[in-house]
Structure formats: C-alpha cells, structure tokens
Amino acid sequence: MGSQDRCPKYPSMLKAFCSHCQGSERGTSDNPRFSLKEGYLNGYPVVEVLKNGSPVHTFDSNFRFGVRKAQMLLACVHVLREFWHSSEDEKFAFKSQVIEDQRRRLRVQIHVEMHPDFEHSSGQTIERPWLRLQALPPDEEHIGLGTMKCRAICEIRDDLRQWLRNHGVLA
C-alpha cells in the first residue's frame, strides 16, 4: 500500500476510511458543525447561529433572533426536520400547517415560499422553496428558513433550549 492511499492530514489512516478524505468530518462543508453565539441587541438577548464558526450563508451574515423567534423555531422543529430531509419535489409540495404550542401561548403558521437563491449563467434567477414561519396574533414575528437553516436549528435545538432557560424562559 503506497502513501497515496493514506490521508495527507492523518497519515496513519487509509483514505477509504478517513472522514477527512471522504468529506464527512465534522466541520466540513458536507458535514458542518453548528453553534450559537450569544449577544444582546438594544438590551434584549439574541442568539446567532453559526456554521463552522462563520455565517450560515455568505449572503445572510446574521442568522440571529431573540427569545420569541427561538420559541417559534423550537415549537416547529419537527416540521423543520421534515423539510430539511425532504427531496426538492417534496419541498415544492410541502403542505401549509399551523403549529400550536399552548404552553407558550404560541401559534405558528408554516408555509412554503419561493425565494431567489442564485443567478444562473444565463441570467435567469433560480428560486428554491423556503419555509416561512409566521406567528399568529397576538404575536407578529416571522422568519424564513431554507434547507441549511432548518438543518442548523434541528442540530442546535438542545443548545437553543438551554439558551432560553439561561434567560429564564420556559423552553
């Protein structure tokens, strides 16, 4: 077995069995590591979701929100997971629904919206399905999430719950 069969970063590991060489190592683009960065905005607690220590998307530098949106996201986490794991066709056909969380006195309407994602070399704008979470009255908050943000929330949900508890909010 030659040195070309071994990982250049971890030479004791064969490339065929190396998560680094296979692109499945945590913190890679195929298998990102999500985290929370706590802060305050105008005196209110906010949390920012990061992917591998950086913004989730380069075109959306601050995926951050406060307590009520965090509650909305957690109330809908099972729907976010379903959307994240759906095929492109399934995302287009995703059914609108209302999630009720009586403990938090929260109702959230969820539906799919088309969102411009990138411009094709032909100049045509390519749109992708995103989820829009809209709190129903008396709340007014809303938030939109694509596949990667849905995945991020699903993967950091326990950290998000703990952040809410740290701020005295029932998670």
Side-chain angles (χ1 to χ4, degrees), residues 83-146:
F83 188 78
W84 161 31
H85 288 290
S86 295
S87 69
E88 198 75 8
D89 288 339
E90 291 168 333
K91 287 177 179 146
F92 283 110
F94 212 75
K95 300 282 186 224
S96 296
Q97 54 191 296
V98 174
I99 302 298
E100 285 198 50
D101 184 338
Q102 292 180 350
R103 256 185 16 194
R104 295 181 189 100
R105 296 182 184 160
L106 179 64
R107 293 179 356 164
V108 182
Q109 182 177 21
I110 304 171
H111 66 272
V112 171
E113 283 186 352
M114 296 307 291
H115 192 276
D117 194 39
F118 65 93
E119 188 173 309
H120 190 268
S121 60
S122 66
Q124 178 185 7
T125 300
I126 305 300
E127 293 189 330
R128 297 258 193 256
W130 281 41
L131 283 185
R132 179 177 171 93
L133 281 60
Q134 174 69 54
L136 298 174
D139 292 300
E140 298 177 356
E141 288 86 359
H142 64 84
I143 191 166
L145 301 106

Side-chain angles (χ1 to χ4, degrees), residues 149-167:
K149 287 183 179 181
C150 287
R151 177 180 178 181
I153 295 300
C154 291
E155 292 192 12
I156 54 99
R157 76 175 182 276
D158 293 337
D159 296 334
L160 198 51
R161 283 188 183 112
Q162 186 59 50
W163 176 75
L164 286 171
R165 283 195 285 284
N166 291 347
H167 289 283

Side-chain angles (χ1 to χ4, degrees), residues 67-94:
V67 168
R68 195 58 168 170
K69 284 186 182 179
Q71 290 177 314
M72 287 172 55
L73 292 165
L74 288 173
C76 300
V77 76
H78 64 285
V79 178
L80 302 183
R81 182 175 307 286
E82 183 182 342
F83 188 78
W84 161 31
H85 288 290
S86 295
S87 69
E88 198 75 8
D89 288 339
E90 291 168 333
K91 287 177 179 146
F92 283 110
F94 212 75

